[in-house]
Amino acid sequence: MTTTDRQSTGRFRRPRNAAASRTAILTAARACFSGDSYERVGVRDIATCAGVTAALVIRYFGSKERLFAEALRWDLRDLGLAELLAGDLEQLGARLARYVVLEAPPGPFLTIVRVAPNAQAAALVREITEEEFTVPLARRLAGEHAALRASNVTAMLLGLAVRYHVLQDGPASVSEGEAVVALVAPALQCYLTG
Amino acid sequence: MTTTDRQSTGRFRRPRNAAASRTAILTAARACFSGDSYERVGVRDIATCAGVTAALVIRYFGSKERLFAEALRWDLRDLGLAELLAGDLEQLGARLARYVVLEAPPGPFLTIVRVAPNAQAAALVREITEEEFTVPLARRLAGEHAALRASNVTAMLLGLAVRYHVLQDGPASVSEGEAVVALVAPALQCYLTG
């Protein structure tokens, strides 16, 4: 047990701000999980990066899996997907295309592709992306196969993000980005409003 | 220097079949690069897996980068993309959708997403996927923005493959797969023939 650990568990030196430690751990987890494969990132790495002990990480989050789930959920909420989904359905294809092509940060998408080949982490990604994006999107869609159409939108956005952030093949200029948006938006809109 | 290495370099015991060793190395490389991140796979791992020495791998392929490039090229050629592209353009969206949703093996797609964050390997993937798929596809397209439309098709197929093989979220049954094909085909066809 290290000094830091004793400080956080001992009677006399409770951490002055548990919320701050929790935030530091989650921030570190987001960086670690987007920077290396799920299987290679250890609780110890995240603890080191957050400046706390591994024991504290486990006390706050229970396990690496649960920390991963919270980190990814935070990642996705920070994308502001709820706001994107909330507006006019007729323009949703254009909003989503513009966001993924020109604005979205790489972190969450890197985290997502880096779960392979861990089946448990892949299951968490499925569950969390569904809850945070695919299901709320499906609720907005009328007509047949809403869930399947929403899943295809998710896959299409993932494909663009992989191209841009994994293959590092983003648009070379804003005008090229705008040309991509102009092509992608109607394809997405096909899934949304037929 | 190991016994195997001496056998392959020595005067008296040349490898009886250099082509067989080359194939064994490429087969091992394909398995290794789809099974772990580009950065973690070493020439030594591939050599062990192929039953040869690391020195032999370097003699045949020059470097890990060049071996990766050949392995990925072989991966993509084995997908039979040229045959998919060769047929009727009006049905190409349906053929591509059916292939990726119901038939394609996971290996090449896992290899592709596992290059992150190595910029050099990402550049190789961009170059090779363009040569093997995106450029031949663009040559088949009439109208404006053929290259950009072809790139979007590639991204869309990648997105489906990531969903199926990275997130392990493939169709639960053939009939669900057929429903996905029925939705994806027209969206792809949008990019192909407008």
Side-chain angles (χ1 to χ4, degrees), chain A residues 4-110:
Chain A
T4 317
D5 202 16
R6 267 200 302 279
Q7 286 174 359
S8 62
T9 55
R11 265 182 77 192
F12 303 112
R13 299 194 60 179
R14 291 223 161 269
R16 276 176 299 184
N17 191 341
S21 297
R22 227 180 163 277
T23 301
I25 293 166
L26 271 173
T27 304
R30 292 171 73 184
C32 289
F33 286 124
S34 77
D36 206 340
S37 74
Y38 176 80
E39 292 194 338
R40 282 190 80 191
V41 174
V43 166
R44 203 168 294 276
D45 304 317
I46 296 167
T48 303
C49 183
V52 302
T53 62
L56 193 73
V57 173
I58 295 301
R59 187 162 346 122
Y60 282 0
F61 293 93
S63 65
K64 174 170 134 178
E65 289 70 30
R66 284 165 59 188
L67 174 55
F68 174 81
E70 284 216 39
L72 180 62
R73 217 177 274 281
W74 192 13
D75 260 355
L76 295 182
R77 288 187 183 165
D78 259 13
L79 292 179
L81 299 171
E83 290 74 19
L84 280 171
L85 291 181
D88 173 20
L89 193 60
E90 294 301 321
Q91 292 300 315
L92 182 54
R95 282 202 302 286
L96 290 172
R98 176 170 303 280
Y99 183 68
V100 170
V101 173
L102 296 169
E103 295 164 19
F109 302 105
L110 292 175

Side-chain angles (χ1 to χ4, degrees), chain A residues 40 114 116-117 126 155 159 167 191, chain B residues 40 114 116-117 126 155 159 167:
Chain A
R40 282 190 80 191
R114 284 174 169 175
R126 287 201 300 277
L167 305 185
Y191 286 137
Chain B
R40 282 190 81 191
R114 284 175 169 174
R126 286 200 302 276
L167 305 185

Side-chain angles (χ1 to χ4, degrees), chain A residues 102-190:
Chain A
L102 296 169
E103 295 164 19
F109 302 105
L110 292 175
T111 296
I112 286 173
V113 299
R114 284 174 169 175
V115 296
N118 187 296
Q120 197 183 3
L124 286 173
V125 171
R126 287 201 300 277
E127 186 186 313
I128 293 166
T129 52
E130 288 219 347
E131 282 175 23
E132 297 292 328
F133 183 71
T134 314
V135 169
L137 171 60
R139 283 205 198 99
R140 294 224 51 202
L141 307 183
E144 277 194 310
H145 299 301
L148 217 49
R149 282 152 56 210
S151 292
N152 282 335
V153 169
T154 306
M156 209 167 142
L157 298 176
L158 252 177
L160 289 166
V162 167
R163 181 176 153 208
Y164 295 162
H165 305 306
V166 177
L167 305 185
Q168 301 172 24
D169 192 20
S173 62
V174 173
S175 71
E176 193 187 309
E178 294 290 350
V180 177
V181 171
L183 282 167
V184 171
L188 281 170
Q189 199 63 38
C190 251

Side-chain angles (χ1 to χ4, degrees), chain B residues 153-189:
Chain B
V153 169
T154 306
M156 209 166 143
L157 297 176
L158 252 178
L160 289 167
V162 167
R163 181 175 153 210
Y164 295 161
H165 305 306
V166 176
L167 305 185
Q168 302 173 23
D169 193 18
S173 62
V174 172
S175 70
E176 193 188 309
E178 294 290 349
V180 176
V181 170
L183 283 167
V184 171
L188 280 171
Q189 200 63 39

Side-chain angles (χ1 to χ4, degrees), chain B residues 21-23 25-26 56-67 70:
Chain B
S21 297
R22 226 179 164 278
T23 301
I25 293 166
L26 271 173
L56 192 74
V57 173
I58 294 303
R59 185 157 351 118
Y60 282 2
F61 293 94
S63 65
K64 174 171 136 178
E65 290 70 30
R66 284 166 58 189
L67 175 56
E70 283 216 40

